[in-house]
């Protein structure tokens, strides 16, 4: 498995990032009550499309698709709309060590730093989304509730990435470049987070 670089000028005109949860649901055959078990194996799904291009520009996209080799190789992707947090957390934040399955992450940052609902950050090769607004205390401890669960334990002092945090993604559906006279129309991609 190889991490493939994005081609120069890769800029989506449509972007969608959503979380896929993994759970089992059970319904009682008699009373109708239900129970759902969260399997704690969340992963990100990402869809995007690239705008029309000239035939010459489309050649790089065609080569990129080929280099992914279906689902074999991966590409590092991020949230194209919120590349940095809307909150004020910057600098070189670190985690306090996080257990697998955790619903919140303690980050060491600057006092009064904030993260807002929907902000994205990365740690240990994982991509996280903030569930609700949070503010660091006077010592710089920022307890962050997250949407997706922590899939693997993160050691203490793991770097927190706030500028274009990425995760590895695999191509989830066939993509191709079509050529018509004078240009290559929009190309659509569906990706799924690669779990290592």
């Amino acid at each position: 498995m190889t991490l493939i670089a994005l081609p120069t000028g890769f800029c989506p005109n449509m972007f969608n990032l959503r979380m896929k949860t993994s759970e089992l649901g059970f319904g009682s055959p008699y009373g109708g009550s239900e129970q759902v078990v969260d399997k704690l194996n969340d992963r990100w799904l990402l869809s995007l499309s690239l705008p029309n291009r000239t035939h010459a520009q489309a050649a790089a996209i065609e080569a990129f698709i080929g280099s992914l080799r279906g689902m074999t190789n991966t590409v590092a992707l991020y949230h194209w709309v919120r590349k940095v947090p809307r909150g004020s957390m910057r600098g070189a934040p670190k985690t306090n060590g996080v257990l697998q399955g955790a619903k919140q992450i303690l980050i060491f940052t600057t006092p009064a730093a904030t993260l807002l609902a929907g902000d994205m950050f990365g740690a240990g090769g994982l991509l996280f989304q903030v569930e609700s607004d949070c503010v660091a205390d006077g010592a710089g401890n920022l307890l962050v509730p997250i949407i997706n669960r922590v899939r693997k334990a993160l050691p203490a002092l793991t770097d927190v990435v706030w500028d274009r945090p990425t995760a590895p993604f695999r191509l989830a559906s066939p993509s191709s470049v079509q050529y018509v006279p004078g240009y290559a129309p929009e190309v659509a991609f569906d990706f799924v987070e690669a779990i290592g």
Side-chain angles (χ1 to χ4, degrees), residues 14-38:
M14 185 285 296
F15 171 81
N16 177 310
L17 180 70
R18 60 202 178 281
M19 188 182 61
K20 178 183 178 193
T21 58
S22 180
E23 65 265 335
L24 291 173
F26 305 92
S28 169
Y30 304 108
S33 63
E34 296 177 327
Q35 182 179 12
V36 177
V37 177
D38 189 343

Side-chain angles (χ1 to χ4, degrees), residues 4-169:
I4 304 299
L6 289 172
T8 303
F10 192 95
C11 185
N13 63 348
M14 185 285 296
F15 171 81
N16 177 310
L17 180 70
R18 60 202 178 281
M19 188 182 61
K20 178 183 178 193
T21 58
S22 180
E23 65 265 335
L24 291 173
F26 305 92
S28 169
Y30 304 108
S33 63
E34 296 177 327
Q35 182 179 12
V36 177
V37 177
D38 189 343
K39 294 167 46 177
L40 304 178
N41 191 17
D42 303 339
R43 68 173 62 197
W44 293 106
L45 304 177
L46 190 149
S47 298
L48 59 85
S49 64
L50 300 177
N52 298 347
R53 296 173 183 266
T54 66
H55 286 178
Q57 294 168 330
I61 301 304
E62 193 172 359
F64 169 69
I65 293 167
S67 66
L68 288 172
R69 300 188 54 77
M71 294 185 75
T72 304
N73 295 323
T74 60
V75 60
L77 298 174
Y78 54 89
H79 197 299
W80 253 270
V81 175
R82 289 191 301 279
K83 297 172 184 166
V84 298
R86 295 176 303 123
S88 64
M89 185 186 77
R90 299 294 188 269
K94 310 274 186 198
T95 67
N96 180 35
V98 185
L99 297 176
Q100 182 176 0
K103 294 172 55 174
Q104 55 190 13
I105 297 176
L106 180 59
I107 296 176
F108 299 134
T109 184
T110 55
T114 62
L115 285 174
L116 304 179
D119 283 348
M120 305 296 292
F121 67 93
L126 301 175
L127 186 60
F128 298 103
Q129 187 173 54
V130 177
E131 183 177 63
S132 57
D133 297 357
C134 48
V135 181
D137 64 17
N141 298 309
L142 179 61
L143 188 59
V144 183
I146 54 175
I147 298 286
N148 50 319
R149 302 285 203 266
V150 178
R151 276 201 312 269
K152 65 179 181 182
L154 301 175
L157 302 180
T158 298
D159 291 332
V160 173
V161 180
W162 55 267
D163 185 12
R164 289 180 174 90
T166 64
F169 284 82

